[in-house]
């Protein structure tokens, strides 16, 4: 994998948490570290699944925003391309050499639509649509740039967010796309985001069964109008087995599988056990920086290095200490047995991987206790 | 104020949300905007308070991480210097010309201690201590760099985080500092973080009365040993009136007052009304990007552009629509009257300003509907 970290101007402890070759014990904390062995196993596990299921994987880069990881998912992980959520993310990934990108989201700002259309000269670009006027705006922008822009109709299959209703509303929008100059109707976006984190297996399966039924029906109505879906996309790390074996979805958009997080650690398989398909490979490396009370330590990882929207982080591999509360720059750790000392290091499994990666500038890739690579969070700050 | 945004390589909509002179309606969303008039009024209000109270303001840069704002607080806002939380933040601020910095936190990593001591050649540096072994490590590092490093003993006055117990524990640590070569004992850090957001006026006042009593007693014990406190520091935006008029604290460390946020909007004054001392000057500018259901809009500001640790953002100046839920890149907005259209713009007051600033690369300063300045979030990503 490319290592862009050998650049002048990078100073470990100032603007990057580590240097290649360092022992993990020397990494400046707090830092976002990737256990490369676990990461690679996760990538292989997903690649094997999609190969066996006979579906494509379009790995979601909103998890990591990293060109290095995106390239690895395509080169080694069975991915046909990448999803991202924003035009500026797509630009950053195209800049880094990714050539097949689905913006799995609506793009409605006129200036941003123009940027998206311009990008078609450099990569295959697909975008989602849930509004008729947006179809016209996309078509006009593609015409200005002499581009053909591929569009998916986004249908709301239960997430309660973007997307038109499945069925005839979707067909009407697809027909408008198909009739628009410089646009190609390429299929459906049918992602059920809120199903990913439902705790119980049966709940997740039920939600996706309903999504599959709506999607199947919509595909059939489109077929009846002569509109075939090259892409029927959706699925995430919590439910991909269901979409992947549905016979309806043909592109899976999983992202978190490369890293996992504490919230995914709380979802259950059919037997009621934690899902064992993927391993935690993403950690916040943190140091104890204060231990002025006997049963309480304070670590250097607070809100500035993680998102706690899905709960607090979990201390990895330790049952004797617990991350209790979080402020801007501190985490309070209960230490009832007084096991911790100042400068002791802990690995935290973040509550939610995607927004946690989003606050870091670097992934520190670690193998065998050494820093093997530094991957910039390429599209960090690209929110437009 | 300096405007570093006229640099080659900055492309609005790609790596910066705006250009100087743009109408606010042209700013790429989501973006972090600062209402400069409100911001400047907030700065003046605090400057007037500390002038009248006869105390110093050491404004906390952990809120904004911006060299431009720090310089403004010193030049125009009555600040004697700046606080920050991390050594790498201090380095970034010294690099930008700030010359009087308190790292209002413990620094315990040996390599980071070395960086801190090295910084003393370029600025006045003060750091907090709550551990005896840390005193020795700081002293050794200062000696290596031929520096004199100023230290405050941090006492826990109710926050339940870092800090030794007030009283004799603090005196013992102060004596160790005073006796250590290349260290100066400069006083006490007595910040009550958790008191800032207590809703009721009486609760906040009570918490700070207790903190003041502990601090006064510790100052007296130190005086009795011939150890005088040049700095007795603490206070935040929720409680500064109490510390500022206590006769004990002489340096206030308020940060959020420049911006305010939705959580500070929930604290109450003596009459039970929202505190009116400062105005909201910080907003997430967001656009409606989907409105496929009649009573629900989706905006482009999700978890990637804010921290929801202290609750969801509040839509500014609108009682007809409500920010209901948040996912990585989306905010769901209830729109019961169907008032919103795609591309409509809303201003969101973030739940918690400090970690929200931390996910952005730029502040877009706006006055009279125009972009007047672009301030980089100078120390973004400096977490070490």
């Amino acid at each position: 994998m490319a290592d862009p970290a050998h650049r002048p101007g990078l100073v470990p402890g100032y603007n990057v948490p580590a240097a290649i070759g360092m022992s993990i014990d020397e990494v400046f904390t707090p830092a976002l570290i990737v256990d490369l062995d676990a990461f690679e196993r996760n990538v292989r596990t997903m690649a094997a699944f999609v190969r066996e299921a006979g579906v494509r994987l379009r790995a979601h880069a909103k998890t990591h925003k990293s060109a290095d990881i995106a390239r690895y998912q395509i080169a080694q992980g069975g991915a046909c391309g990448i999803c991202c959520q924003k035009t500026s993310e797509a630009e950053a990934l195209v800049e880094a050499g990714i050539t097949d990108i689905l913006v799995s989201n609506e793009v409605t700002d006129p200036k941003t639509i123009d940027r998206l259309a311009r990008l078609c000269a450099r990569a295959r670009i697909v975008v989602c649509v849930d509004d008729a006027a947006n179809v016209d705006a996309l078509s006009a922008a593609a015409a200005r740039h002499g581009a053909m822009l591929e569009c998916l109709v986004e249908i709301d299959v239960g997430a309660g967010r973007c997307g038109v209703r499945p069925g005839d509303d979707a067909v009407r929008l697809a027909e408008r796309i198909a009739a628009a100059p410089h646009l190609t109707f390429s299929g459906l976006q049918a992602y059920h985001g809120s199903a990913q984190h439902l705790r119980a297996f049966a709940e997740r399966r039920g939600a996706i069964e309903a999504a599959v039924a709506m999607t199947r029906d919509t595909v059939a109505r489109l077929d009846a109008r002569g509109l075939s879906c090259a892409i029927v996309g959706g699925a995430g790390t919590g439910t991909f087995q269901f979409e992947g074996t549905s016979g309806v979805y043909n592109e899976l958009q999983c992202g978190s599988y490369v890293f996992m997080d504490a919230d995914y650690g709380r979802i259950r398989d059919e037997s009621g056990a934690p899902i064992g398909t993927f391993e935690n490979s993403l950690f916040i490396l943190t140091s104890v920086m204060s231990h002025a009370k006997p049963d309480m330590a304070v670590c250097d990882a607070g809100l500035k290095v993680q998102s706690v929207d899905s709960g607090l982080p979990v201390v990895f591999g330790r049952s004797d200490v617990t991350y209790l509360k979080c402020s801007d720059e501190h985490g309070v750790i209960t230490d009832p047995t007084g096991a911790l000392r100042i400068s002791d290091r802990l690995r935290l499994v973040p509550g939610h991987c995607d927004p946690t990666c989003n606050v870091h500038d670097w992934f520190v890739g670690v193998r065998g206790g050494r820093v093997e690579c530094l991957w910039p969070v390429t599209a960090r700050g690209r929110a437009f």
Side-chain angles (χ1 to χ4, degrees), chain A:
Chain A
M1 296 179 229
D3 170 29
H6 288 300
R7 288 196 318 219
L10 285 186
V11 180
Y14 176 54
N15 52 15
V16 61
I20 309 273
M22 246 183 197
S23 158
I24 191 171
D25 297 330
E26 295 176 287
V27 171
F28 286 88
T29 64
L32 194 61
I33 63 171
V34 177
D35 176 331
L36 293 170
D37 288 331
F39 165 81
E40 291 171 4
R41 283 192 294 270
N42 288 343
V43 170
R44 283 200 298 272
T45 298
M46 183 61 84
F49 175 84
V50 295
R51 197 168 50 239
E52 282 167 40
V55 294
R56 293 187 297 274
L57 170 66
R58 182 177 288 279
H60 216 308
K62 84 185 173 86
T63 298
H64 51 70
K65 287 177 174 270
S66 156
D68 295 278
I69 295 176
R71 280 192 292 260
Y72 185 78
Q73 289 174 306
I74 292 169
Q76 311 281 333
C80 66
I82 288 294
C83 295
C84 66
Q85 290 290 85
K86 299 294 181 109
T87 299
S88 56
E89 279 183 314
E91 290 175 314
L93 293 169
V94 168
E95 202 66 52
I98 307 296
T99 57
D100 190 340
I101 296 179
L102 164 61
V103 179
S104 52
N105 203 3
E106 284 66 27
V107 177
T108 55
D109 177 83
K111 299 192 307 303
T112 309
I113 289 173
D114 199 74
R115 299 184 68 91
L116 187 75
R118 193 186 310 150
L119 213 51
C120 294
R122 301 174 63 194
R124 178 191 183 194
I125 301 293
V126 190
V127 68
C128 297
V129 177
D130 72 357
D131 177 70
N134 189 218
V135 171
D136 304 342
L138 291 167
S139 173
R144 277 198 303 280
H145 290 278
M148 285 300 293
L149 183 55
E150 293 187 49
C151 297
L152 305 184
V153 170
E154 179 160 10
I155 55 176
D156 184 347
V157 292
R161 209 166 56 188
C162 302
V164 297
R165 280 179 301 185
D168 288 341
D169 285 0
V171 172
R172 269 191 294 279
L173 199 56
E175 287 177 331
R176 191 168 183 127
I177 294 166
H182 291 269
L183 299 185
T184 303
F185 171 73
S186 291
L188 294 176
Q189 171 72 3
Y191 175 58
H192 195 327
S194 56
Q196 304 308 315
H197 293 268
L198 295 171
R199 297 286 186 260
F201 179 88
E203 274 189 282
R204 292 196 305 285
R205 185 177 55 193
I208 300 306
E209 280 172 355
V212 166
M214 290 184 253
T215 305
R216 177 180 286 120
D217 173 70
T218 305
V219 169
R221 288 173 197 239
L222 288 163
D223 272 338
R225 304 294 185 98
L227 293 165
S228 77
C229 294
I231 297 174
V232 180
T237 297
T239 68
F240 68 96
Q241 295 97 333
F242 309 126
E243 289 96 335
T245 55
S246 66
V248 176
Y249 287 77
N250 60 20
E251 267 191 23
L252 308 187
Q253 301 174 347
C254 310
S256 303
Y257 74 99
V258 295
F259 291 150
M260 300 304 282
D261 58 30
D263 202 62
Y264 269 123
R266 288 185 277 267
I267 72 170
R268 292 292 177 261
D269 69 13
E270 199 159 11
S271 76
I275 297 280
T277 320
F278 302 106
E279 305 168 54
N280 288 118
S281 71
L282 184 80
F283 304 94
I284 300 165
L285 185 67
T286 184
S287 298
V288 174
M289 47 164 289
S290 171
H291 206 318
K293 289 105 192 167
D295 57 352
M296 192 195 95
V298 183
C299 76
D300 61 7
L303 294 168
K304 298 276 183 83
V305 293
Q306 63 189 316
S307 181
V308 298
D309 65 277
S310 300
L312 292 173
V314 170
V315 182
F316 187 70
R318 298 281 297 244
S319 56
D320 57 334
V321 299
T322 304
Y323 192 106
L324 183 69
K325 64 178 182 173
C326 194
S327 51
D328 284 353
E329 323 275 355
H330 299 103
V332 172
I333 310 266
T334 58
D335 181 19
T337 64
L340 296 174
R341 297 286 173 272
I342 287 177
S343 293
D344 279 0
R345 288 169 169 228
L346 299 168
R347 289 184 180 211
L348 306 177
V349 178
H352 188 177
C353 55
D354 302 35
T356 294
C357 296
N358 181 55
V359 296
H360 290 266
D361 292 317
W362 296 93
F363 294 103
V364 179
V366 173
R367 197 185 323 260
R370 292 262 150 208
V371 176
E372 181 174 303
C373 57
L374 290 166
W375 292 329
V377 185
T378 318
R380 212 220 74 72
R382 304 291 201 268
F384 330 112

